[in-house]
């Protein structure tokens, strides 16, 4: 009995060490992304040694090979890279895995690297040190740490604005493929579509490419719209969704409502309702639907995102289906259906009657 207890306690201890150092997994991987190690391995076409990685790193001085070896050893151990250990005791080789392939940049639409850099930016990470203070006093950790939520910080810090917008656009890219495949008939009958808080317009531009009969409008704050590229079939409009939203047959809200409190979401939804036809209009919300006690592939990420929203926004959160139902009803959308796609987010199609 005692040895079973002892074994369980030892496992418990190991578990705590693992959590103590969990940030190292994120930040070591962030370092690998910044050094473009997934790209270097990819362009080599197969597994390579740390010395070969070092020789391809863009640096004015020669990179510290011993540092790269140790970073790769950890990331190999975590199966982010596939480590091969030659039987002659030579340098280990590192190849891509199904995980690190998501971090290769380029024309491939499967890219998570830019999102990773947003979520691990000092603004997003350092604010966590204020969380216990927030539990006691309320408020938002990022405001206590940096004097504003991420949107304020992006509007003042051009470098972060660029990192943030690129992260959102790349997430839109691979999610778009799933949205287009999983919501095939949702766009057919639309003549016009506004992507509300659409960032630099990545999603709407892809939708319009597949449905050229749709007049696309990308709507966001002025500091975002000024950095948006020109896309065929898309008009960029700057404004404030709390004030007014451009009219269209339907409105998209992707990764928007989770940034806001219930009260703010109801205001946005009421403005959405004013912008669409009374009977035939709809909103297409693309956001996480939290599964209570869910054990699915993305459930861990969903719960983590919920805390990201708690720390880095003023009142934002991820929501369960019940919470969405209540919110949509209050915002003027009493009927809805959830369409699951193979992604962290789901599609919630909601109607004014
Ligand atoms: C998490 S990002 C999502 C961007 C985009 N929908 C996507 O999924 O890639 C939230 C967006 O909301 C925009 N936003 C914030 N407040 C806004 C407002 N009052 N009116 C319009 N857009 C706003 C931000 O500028 C940002 O682009």
């Amino acid at each position: 009995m005692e040895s079973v207890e002892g074994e369980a306690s030892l496992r418990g201890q190991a578990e705590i060490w693992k959590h103590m150092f969990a940030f190292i997994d994120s930040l070591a991987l962030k370092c690998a992304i910044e050094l473009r190690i997934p790209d270097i391995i990819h362009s080599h076409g197969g597994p390579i040694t740390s010395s070969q990685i070092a020789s391809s790193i863009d640096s004015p001085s020669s990179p510290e090979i011993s540092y790269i070896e140790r970073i790769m050893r950890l990331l190999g151990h975590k199966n982010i890279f596939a480590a091969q250990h030659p039987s002659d005791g030579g340098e280990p080789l590192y190849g891509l895995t199904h995980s690190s392939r998501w971090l290769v940049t380029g024309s491939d639409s499967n890219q998570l690297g830019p999102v990773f850099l947003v979520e691990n930016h000092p603004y997003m990470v350092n604010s966590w040190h204020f969380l216990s203070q927030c539990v006691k006093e309320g408020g938002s950790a990022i405001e206590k740490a940096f004097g504003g939520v991420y949107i304020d910080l992006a509007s003042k810090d051009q470098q972060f604005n660029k990192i943030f917008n690129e992260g959102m656009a790349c997430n839109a890219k691979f999610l778009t493929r799933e949205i287009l495949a999983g919501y095939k008939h949702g766009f057919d009958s639309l003549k016009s579509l506004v992507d509300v808080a659409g960032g630099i317009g990545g999603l709407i531009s892809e939708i319009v490419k597949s449905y050229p009969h749709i007049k696309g409008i990308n709507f966001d704050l002025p500091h975002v719209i000024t950095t948006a590229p020109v896309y065929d079939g898309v008009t960029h409009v700057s404004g404030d969704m709390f004030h007014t939203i451009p009219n269209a047959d339907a409105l998209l809200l992707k990764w928007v409502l989770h940034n806001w409190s219930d009260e703010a979401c109801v205001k946005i939804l009421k403005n959405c309702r004013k912008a669409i036809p009374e009977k035939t209009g709809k909103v297409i919300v693309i956001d996480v639907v939290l599964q209570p006690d869910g054990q699915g592939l993305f459930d861990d990420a969903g719960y983590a995102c919920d805390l990201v929203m708690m720390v880095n926004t003023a009142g934002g959160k991820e929501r369960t289906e019940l919470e969405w139902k209540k919110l949509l009803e209050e915002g003027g959308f009493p009927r809805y259906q959830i369409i699951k796609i193979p992604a962290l987010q789901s599609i919630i199609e909601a109607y004014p009657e």
Side-chain angles (χ1 to χ4, degrees):
M1 185 63 191
E2 238 181 62
S3 72
V4 172
E5 274 287 303
E7 171 71 24
S9 171
L10 205 59
R11 280 182 194 284
Q13 185 196 145
E15 192 68 14
I16 296 300
W17 282 106
K18 196 171 93 182
H19 291 302
M20 196 185 309
F21 293 130
F23 73 95
I24 290 168
D25 297 349
S26 303
L27 294 183
L29 189 49
K30 179 190 179 191
C31 162
I33 296 168
E34 286 176 336
L35 297 173
R36 305 185 79 97
I37 291 176
D39 288 344
I40 292 170
I41 298 174
H42 177 69
S43 62
H44 193 270
I48 52 175
T49 63
S50 296
S51 315
Q52 287 172 302
I53 292 172
S55 65
S56 299
I57 286 176
D58 185 16
S59 162
S61 53
S62 45
E64 279 289 346
I65 297 179
S66 68
Y67 286 8
I68 297 169
E69 275 169 0
R70 287 153 69 191
I71 292 165
M72 293 308 286
R73 182 171 59 188
L74 174 97
L75 295 175
H77 179 69
K78 298 281 174 182
N79 294 319
I80 299 294
F81 296 101
Q84 294 172 14
H85 298 276
S87 52
D88 64 2
E91 264 195 88
L93 294 142
Y94 295 97
L96 295 174
T97 61
H98 282 296
S99 305
S100 40
R101 282 199 192 98
W102 281 90
L103 304 172
V104 173
T105 54
S107 56
D108 193 323
S109 59
N110 289 341
Q111 259 198 75
L112 268 176
V115 187
F116 203 100
L117 296 181
V118 173
E119 298 302 344
N120 285 281
H121 188 279
Y123 286 149
M124 307 295 260
V125 173
N126 294 351
S127 45
W128 282 83
H129 298 292
F130 292 79
L131 182 53
S132 51
Q133 194 182 328
C134 287
V135 171
K136 291 182 199 162
E137 300 170 357
S140 136
I142 198 168
E143 280 181 319
K144 289 192 199 295
F146 297 105
V149 294
Y150 76 86
I151 296 165
D152 310 321
L153 301 172
S155 69
K156 287 181 198 139
D157 177 340
Q158 273 186 23
Q159 207 189 357
F160 178 59
N161 189 31
K162 187 168 179 291
I163 291 173
F164 184 82
N165 292 334
E166 282 174 2
M168 292 306 108
C170 103
N171 170 58
K173 248 189 196 172
F174 69 81
L175 193 54
T176 302
R177 193 186 53 218
E178 305 300 349
I179 295 167
L180 289 172
Y183 192 59
K184 273 199 182 101
H185 306 299
F187 299 115
D188 278 342
S189 60
L190 304 179
K191 292 201 181 73
S192 56
L193 177 66
V194 179
D195 194 355
V196 180
I200 55 173
L203 174 60
I204 189 83
S205 74
E206 290 299 321
I207 293 173
V208 165
K209 245 189 240 168
S210 297
Y211 297 87
H213 67 276
I214 296 180
K215 179 177 166 254
I217 295 165
N218 180 52
F219 179 69
D220 208 295
L221 292 170
H223 73 270
V224 176
I225 292 299
T226 48
T227 68
V230 172
Y231 302 105
D232 282 345
V234 176
T235 308
H236 290 293
V237 176
S238 63
D240 180 351
M241 63 190 169
F242 289 100
H243 181 57
T244 178
I245 292 171
N247 292 346
D249 292 342
L251 309 175
L252 268 168
L253 288 151
K254 174 180 155 279
W255 249 14
V256 175
L257 296 180
H258 77 158
N259 292 296
W260 301 100
S261 65
D262 290 350
E263 201 187 9
C265 285
V266 168
K267 272 192 200 149
I268 299 169
L269 287 167
K270 285 188 172 164
N271 281 345
C272 286
R273 194 150 170 193
K274 284 185 210 151
I276 54 171
E278 223 167 277
K279 288 196 187 311
T280 55
K282 64 180 173 185
V283 291
I284 306 157
V285 175
I286 297 158
D287 242 319
V288 170
V289 178
L290 282 182
Q291 303 296 326
D293 305 321
Q295 300 294 323
L297 211 49
F298 293 107
D299 288 331
D300 277 358
Y303 284 105
C305 276
D306 180 47
L307 292 207
V308 170
M309 293 302 118
M310 186 164 80
V311 168
N312 288 328
T313 68
K317 55 180 160 178
E318 304 299 349
R319 296 176 168 93
T320 61
E321 181 174 351
L322 262 180
E323 289 168 327
W324 278 115
K325 184 176 186 299
K326 188 166 172 283
L327 193 69
L328 290 166
E329 264 170 17
E330 280 178 34
F333 293 88
R335 195 162 60 88
Y336 73 93
Q337 63 162 332
I338 294 179
I339 299 148
K340 288 204 180 302
I341 51 174
L344 172 61
Q345 298 92 337
S346 296
I347 300 172
I348 310 168
E349 191 182 46
Y351 318 90
E353 54 180 57

